[in-house]
Amino acid sequence: MAMDWLGSIVSINCGDSLGVYQGRVSAVDQVSQTISLTRPFHNGVKCLVPEVTFRAGDITELKILEIPGPGDNQQFGDLHQTELGPSGVGYQVGISQNGTGKVVKKPTSSSSTPQNIPKRTDVKSQDVAVSPQQQQCSKSYVDRHMESLSQSKSFRRRHNSWSSSSRHPNQATPKKSGLKNGQMKNKDDECFGDDIEEIPDTDFDFEGNLALFDKAAVFEEIDTYERRSGARSRGVPNERPARYRHDENILESGPIVYRRITVPHGASKEFCTDSGLVVPSVSYELHKKLLSVAEKHGLTLERRLEMTGVCASQMALTLLGGPNRLNPKNVHQRPTVALLCGPHVKGAQGISCGRHLANHDVQVILFLPNFVKMLESITNELSLFSKTQGQQVSSLRDLPTSPVDLVINCLDCPENAFLRDQPWYKAAVAWANQNRAPVLSIDPPVHEVEQGINAKWSLALGLPLPLGEHAGRVYLCDIGIPQQVFQEVGINYHSPFGCKFVIPLHSA
C-alpha cells in the first residue's frame, strides 16, 4: 500500500523549529516509520541536498499536492526531467487520536506563496484513502549541515527559465538530445535551480535591527527571575570572579599571618614589608647581643662583613642605575661613588662594600682618616681593597669637588661617639652636605639629637633599629643569622625576605 504513494508531491509541515518541506516522495519505510523526499524545498527555497528523510512522530501536518497518474510511478525518479508546476488541488492529511487517518480535500489558489512549491494545474479533486502507516510517516531530524545550508537563501535568477503553464501538466520535460546538452542542463539546474521571482533591492538594516535588542531590559528580567526563584539566596555569585596576577597564589592553605616576628618587651617602632609583613625594631643593646650570640655560634665578623658588603653593593648598584647604567656600551659613563668610613667596624663594612663596587667597574673613592693603630678587620679589608682599581684618600681635599653619583656614609658608630667632635669628622659631614649627591647610610646608629649627614636611604642589618626621619627610606638586608640564634635571645623570628636578600621597609 505504501508503494502507491511513491512519486506523489507532498508538503510536510515540521513545526516552527524546522519549517515546511515540499518534494516528491521517493521512499516510504513502514518498519522504521520514515518517508524520503527527492529534490526537496525548505520554506520555498531549494535545498542543496538531493534527498531528505523524515521520521514519524515529528510531522505536524502532511499535505498531498499531487498524485501521480497510472504511468508516472515508473518515472518519478527521473529528477532531471520533471519540474513542479503551478498549484492545483492539495490534499491535507491529518492524524487523529485513535490512529486512523482522515483526508481533507482542500483546493488551493493558482498563485503560490514564496514558501510553497508550484504544483500541477489540472489534477482532479478526489478523495484519497490513506493508511495509518502512511499517516505516521513524518519528518526526521535533519542534520546540522543540511539545515545550515538550507537556511541560506540564493539570490540568483534562473538562467534558463521557462514557463510551467505552457506545458501539459502530465507531460514531463523533454530530454535534450546529446550528452553535451544533458550536461549543460544539469549544470544549469545546479546553478540556477532556484525559482526566485524577486530579488530584494534594499540592504539589511543592521542598526535598526540591533536597536530592537534592549540589553538593560534583558538583564532586569534576569535579575527579577533570580530574585523570584531564590537563586542568589542559594549562593549563586552575582559578581565577577576575582582575577589574579601571574605572581599571586590562587590556592591558599589558610589565613595569612602578618605578624610573624615578635621581640621581648615590645617594639618602640614597627615597619612593614611590601607584602604586609610586620617587622618590629629592636634596641641597640638587643641588636648587639644578637650579633654576639651569632658570632659565638660561628657567624664570625669576617663572614658578617662579607655578607654586609655584598648586600650593600647590590643595593648601591641598583641605585646607580642597574643594567641600564652598568653595561659594556656605557663604558664612558662609569658612575663615581664617594665612600666615607670611620676607624671602626662600621667603617670596615663600608670598605667591604667599596671593594665589591670596584669589582663591578665603579669608580670608588675611599676616604679613611689616618690613625696610628687600626682594627684588624679594617686592616684586612684595606689590604683587599688595595688590589682593586679603587682610590683611597685620607684628606678631604682629595675628594672630588663636583657632585658624585652616590655618597656612602659609614662614619657614625654609637660606641665611638667622641669621633663626632673630631675636625676630620666635621669636615667630612660638611663636604657630604655641600655635595648634591644622594647619600646611602650603612647600619646607621640611633642618635638622640639628630645631626650629621641626612641620608636618602639607610640599610639595616638583620633587624632594624628605631630609626628616625634623618635615616630616609629604610631597607633591611639578610646577613645570614640562623633562626635558632634569634630564639636564643628571645626573638620569635620568621624570615620576611622571601626570595630576596634586601627588602624595603615602610613605617607602619
Side-chain angles (χ1 to χ4, degrees):
M1 186 66 180
M3 300 300 296
D4 297 339
W5 299 102
L6 296 181
S8 301
I9 299 177
V10 298
S11 175
I12 298 177
N13 187 357
C14 300
D16 297 334
S17 59
L18 294 178
V20 179
Y21 286 85
Q22 297 169 332
R24 189 178 296 273
V25 179
S26 61
V28 177
D29 191 349
Q30 297 183 8
V31 177
S32 60
Q33 296 295 308
T34 59
I35 183 172
S36 301
L37 303 181
T38 60
R39 300 194 65 184
F41 284 72
H42 178 226
N43 293 335
V45 180
K46 185 178 180 181
C47 299
L48 300 181
V49 293
E51 185 178 16
V52 292
T53 303
F54 304 90
R55 275 193 324 184
D58 292 334
I59 294 179
T60 59
E61 186 179 14
L62 189 146
K63 296 180 182 179
I64 301 177
L65 305 179
E66 179 184 346
I67 299 177
D72 293 341
N73 289 340
Q74 291 79 11
Q75 298 179 359
F76 74 94
D78 193 359
L79 302 179
H80 297 288
Q81 300 179 11
T82 58
E83 292 290 342
L84 300 179
S87 61
V89 179
Y91 297 87
Q92 179 177 354
V93 179
I95 301 176
S96 60
Q97 296 179 355
N98 56 5
T100 61
K102 62 178 180 178
V103 180
V104 180
K105 181 172 61 178
K106 181 179 179 182
T108 56
S109 59
S110 58
S111 60
S112 60
T113 60
Q115 295 185 356
N116 293 330
I117 296 180
K119 303 179 286 288
R120 297 188 180 183
T121 56
D122 296 337
V123 179
K124 295 182 181 181
S125 302
Q126 55 183 342
D127 293 343
V128 182
V130 183
S131 65
Q133 290 83 3
Q134 293 175 342
Q135 297 170 10
Q136 295 178 2
C137 294
S138 110
K139 71 170 187 179
S140 66
Y141 289 107
V142 183
D143 55 15
R144 286 180 292 178
H145 178 68
M146 189 277 294
E147 184 178 0
S148 61
L149 293 177
S150 63
Q151 291 179 357
S152 61
K153 290 187 177 181
S154 171
F155 298 101
R156 298 187 297 267
R157 287 185 179 273
R158 179 184 297 275
H159 176 67
N160 207 4
S161 63
W162 49 278
S163 175
S164 61
S165 60
S166 61
R167 299 196 316 272
H168 192 273
N170 293 328
Q171 182 180 2
T173 304
K175 292 185 179 181
K176 293 184 179 180
S177 59
L179 181 60
K180 182 177 180 180
N181 293 335
Q183 292 179 353
M184 292 293 295
K185 175 67 170 105
N186 295 339
K187 292 181 180 179
D188 291 344
D189 290 342
E190 182 179 357
C191 185
F192 307 103
D194 292 339
D195 262 336
I196 300 297
E197 307 219 348
E198 293 184 2
I199 298 178
D201 55 352
T202 58
D203 296 335
F204 182 75
D205 188 6
F206 288 96
E207 295 183 359
N209 202 3
L210 184 61
L212 298 177
F213 176 69
D214 190 356
K215 185 169 64 174
V218 172
F219 282 116
E220 183 179 359
E221 183 180 356
I222 294 175
D223 294 339
T224 304
Y225 173 76
E226 290 181 351
R227 286 195 297 268
R228 290 180 179 178
S229 61
R232 294 184 180 178
S233 62
R234 291 193 297 267
V236 179
N238 191 28
E239 57 184 10
R240 295 182 179 179
R243 295 184 178 182
Y244 298 91
R245 300 195 311 268
H246 66 281
D247 57 347
E248 290 182 335
N249 187 17
I250 298 177
L251 302 177
E252 296 182 359
S253 57
I256 302 175
V257 179
Y258 291 100
R259 187 178 298 275
R260 296 187 292 184
I261 302 176
T262 56
V263 296
H265 310 297
S268 60
K269 187 175 182 179
E270 289 184 343
F271 300 89
C272 64
T273 63
D274 290 338
S275 58
L277 299 177
V278 178
V279 180
S281 63
V282 295
S283 61
Y284 176 74
E285 291 76 12
L286 183 59
H287 192 272
K288 183 179 178 180
K289 181 180 179 181
L290 177 64
L291 297 180
S292 177
V293 174
E295 186 173 356
K296 183 182 66 174
H297 285 284
L299 187 62
T300 61
L301 178 61
E302 290 77 12
R303 289 187 176 185
R304 193 170 75 242
L305 292 178
E306 188 68 17
M307 194 66 184
T308 304
V310 171
C311 293
S313 61
Q314 286 182 350
M315 181 178 177
L317 291 174
T318 303
L319 297 177
L320 292 173
N324 297 324
R325 181 77 180 274
L326 300 169
N327 59 67
K329 298 181 180 180
N330 288 338
V331 180
H332 60 286
Q333 295 181 351
R334 293 175 57 189
T336 302
V337 174
L339 193 59
L340 307 179
C341 298
H344 37 67
V345 176
K346 295 185 182 297
Q349 295 174 351
I351 300 174
S352 176
C353 175
R355 171 168 54 87
H356 289 289
L357 290 176
N359 291 336
H360 286 266
D361 206 17
V362 177
Q363 296 181 358
V364 179
I365 303 176
L366 171 62
F367 168 76
L368 182 65
N370 288 327
F371 280 83
V372 176
K373 186 178 180 180
M374 292 285 188
L375 295 177
E376 182 181 0
S377 58
I378 294 181
T379 305
N380 295 334
E381 292 296 332
L382 284 178
S383 177
L384 292 174
F385 181 80
S386 62
K387 303 301 186 295
T388 64
Q389 296 180 357
Q391 180 183 359
Q392 179 184 356
V393 297
S394 58
S395 176
L396 294 173
R397 291 175 296 184
D398 297 331
L399 291 175
T401 57
S402 60
V404 295
D405 294 281
L406 181 66
V407 174
I408 299 179
N409 179 22
C410 297
L411 293 174
D412 296 315
C413 180
E415 297 179 354
N416 299 330
F418 64 92
L419 297 177
R420 302 173 64 86
D421 299 330
Q422 300 295 323
W424 60 266
Y425 181 90
K426 296 180 179 179
V429 170
W431 177 89
N433 291 330
Q434 291 177 0
N435 197 290
R436 291 175 292 181
V439 179
L440 168 63
S441 294
I442 299 178
D443 194 14
V446 179
H447 300 291
E448 296 179 358
V449 180
E450 295 183 2
Q451 58 182 356
I453 303 175
N454 292 328
K456 187 175 182 179
W457 307 282
S458 293
L459 182 63
L461 309 181
L463 285 177
L465 301 176
L467 302 175
E469 297 296 332
H470 69 282
R473 186 172 184 180
V474 181
Y475 284 77
L476 184 67
C477 77
D478 184 10
I479 57 175
I481 302 177
Q483 186 176 9
Q484 292 185 1
V485 175
F486 285 97
Q487 295 178 357
E488 188 172 344
V489 297
I491 300 176
N492 186 12
Y493 180 82
H494 189 87
S495 176
F497 292 97
C499 62
K500 300 179 181 179
F501 282 87
V502 179
I503 58 174
L505 297 180
H506 312 278
S507 297

